[in-house]
Amino acid sequence: MKPEINGGNSGVNKFNLTKHIHTRHKGRQMVTIEKLTNLSAEAVLKVTLAEEQVKFAGTAADFLADGSDTIHLHVIKFDDDVVGFFKIDVMYSLSNELGIENCIGLRAFAIDVNQQGKGLGSASVKALFPYLKQNYSSYGSIYLTVNCKNPGARICYQKGGFEDSGEKYLGGAAGPQYIMHGKIA
């Protein structure tokens, strides 16, 4: 059975047109970011996370079930193999709490446990900004929260170009979270 992608209108798959960004990783192989397609949805189900990471990003099945008109699903590929995924939330709830206008949110950014430690997370975050500029140029900035118990993810986001806002979000189910942001345009 093929997984179905949520978020289409009248049965139309709004993820058919795929714009993507390629970034060289360690001088030879490519990190690619693309919108989720039916073909890549099958590969997403093979992405696994360490048990302690699931509480921060959820499972691949959770990711696939969460697409909508306001939650856009994307995949991270390394040499054409899906190695991770993330969501772009165009109605990011923290924007109201923080008084931020014209922003989107990054959610559930995950790299397969077997691909971690190779620099793919940082390379993917670096590739994210040109991808956002190409596909979400009407927004000025992107925000995310990263759990205080997840220092590796925080460092990855910083290496990729996100800045710590100096504030914390205290409403997270898994505990306090750092609020980070980056400019799109």
Side-chain angles (χ1 to χ4, degrees):
M1 179 169 92
K2 289 188 176 188
E4 291 192 24
I5 301 170
N6 294 331
N9 292 334
S10 305
V12 175
N13 181 354
K14 70 180 183 177
F15 300 110
N16 281 340
L17 298 176
T18 303
K19 292 183 181 179
H20 54 273
I21 296 291
H22 299 287
T23 301
R24 292 261 177 226
H25 175 68
K26 299 199 178 187
R28 54 187 172 79
Q29 297 164 318
M30 301 290 276
V31 171
T32 308
I33 296 176
E34 301 176 0
K35 290 183 181 180
L36 181 72
T37 65
N38 285 328
L39 185 62
S40 60
E42 290 183 41
V44 164
L45 289 172
K46 296 176 185 172
V47 173
T48 58
L49 301 179
E51 189 175 320
E52 64 272 9
Q53 294 173 320
V54 170
K55 66 183 172 189
F56 303 131
T59 66
D62 295 336
F63 167 78
L64 290 173
D66 201 27
S68 71
D69 288 338
T70 61
I71 304 286
H72 303 167
L73 307 180
H74 303 270
V75 295
I76 301 163
K77 292 183 174 182
F78 182 58
D79 274 355
D80 294 322
D81 294 323
V82 174
V83 296
F85 53 77
F86 64 91
K87 306 172 196 175
I88 295 294
D89 183 348
V90 297
M91 298 293 290
Y92 194 55
S93 62
L94 278 185
S95 61
N96 291 333
E97 291 180 39
L98 299 173
I100 303 162
E101 294 183 13
N102 197 31
C103 78
I104 55 177
L106 177 65
R107 298 187 180 277
F109 182 90
I111 300 291
D112 185 277
V113 67
N114 298 310
Q115 299 297 325
Q116 293 177 12
K118 301 176 183 180
L120 294 176
S122 296
S124 299
V125 175
K126 286 177 185 173
L128 179 65
F129 287 101
Y131 179 80
L132 294 173
K133 192 169 186 173
Q134 181 179 357
N135 293 281
Y136 293 90
S137 61
S138 62
Y139 296 92
S141 58
I142 182 167
Y143 278 75
L144 64 86
T145 60
V146 60
N147 195 283
C148 294
K149 297 175 191 169
N150 195 355
R154 184 177 182 217
I155 291 167
C156 174
Y157 293 129
Q158 287 173 324
K159 284 182 180 179
F162 279 91
E163 297 178 18
D164 193 322
S165 70
E167 297 181 57
K168 288 185 182 156
Y169 174 66
L170 303 177
Q177 301 172 22
Y178 298 105
I179 300 171
M180 302 182 81
H181 62 91
K183 296 231 180 270
I184 295 174

